Amino acid sequence: MAQAETSGADPRPTSPHLQIYTFRINMVMSILHRITGVALYFGTVLLATWLIAAAVGGEAYETVSWLFGSWIGLLVLFGYTWVLLHHMMGGVRHFIWDTGSGFDLETVDRLCWASLAVSVGGTLMIWAVALLA
């Protein structure tokens, strides 16, 4: 088998590195959307645990309720609330793009910031209502 000839310089273009890209909010939102999608699997396990405990009986339900009512349980549930809302708002953002609109950079940035604001604001409102009720 013959060896390929190489000259000193490789004429093929190289892939851009992370240092070349301009940091944009849509890059962060894309990564967060993937992370929140994975986190939803773990949150669904928590929801299933709660439902199974309710079906099993009072003692199991009280144990799970105690765990979810502890400070760490509340922190996890708070995070799950944000993950759920953030992923949903990312889906809405993608749905807008699927309609063929919102592709100019200004609108992309606005949609990204709006989805972040709605997910954080919605999480805070849900928990404020839940804690005050």
Side-chain angles (χ1 to χ4, degrees):
M1 190 174 259
Q3 189 109 10
E5 292 183 32
T6 58
S7 60
D10 192 358
R12 298 178 301 164
T14 58
S15 296
H17 300 278
L18 288 176
Q19 297 90 354
I20 294 172
Y21 288 114
T22 303
F23 181 77
R24 300 191 58 86
I25 185 66
N26 61 325
M27 294 168 65
V28 174
M29 298 304 275
S30 175
I31 294 167
L32 279 177
H33 188 74
R34 295 161 200 262
I35 291 171
T36 57
V38 171
L40 285 175
Y41 282 105
F42 297 106
T44 303
V45 169
L46 295 176
L47 178 62
T49 302
W50 178 69
L51 291 172
I52 291 169
V56 166
E59 188 176 324
Y61 182 75
E62 285 182 25
T63 302
V64 171
S65 293
W66 173 83
L67 180 63
F68 288 168
S70 68
W71 70 269
I72 193 145
L74 290 173
L75 186 63
V76 168
L77 290 174
F78 182 84
Y80 181 68
T81 306
W82 177 77
V83 161
L84 186 63
L85 291 177
H86 187 271
H87 197 77
M88 180 183 69
M89 294 312 301
V92 169
R93 187 168 39 93
H94 280 271
F95 180 73
I96 292 169
W97 290 338
D98 288 344
T99 65
S101 59
F103 286 117
D104 61 289
L105 291 180
E106 185 179 333
T107 305
V108 168
D109 287 348
R110 261 194 260 142
L111 286 172
C112 288
W113 285 111
S115 66
L116 186 60
V118 169
S119 66
V120 170
T123 300
L124 293 174
M125 285 193 310
I126 288 170
W127 276 83
V129 169
L131 293 175
L132 294 176

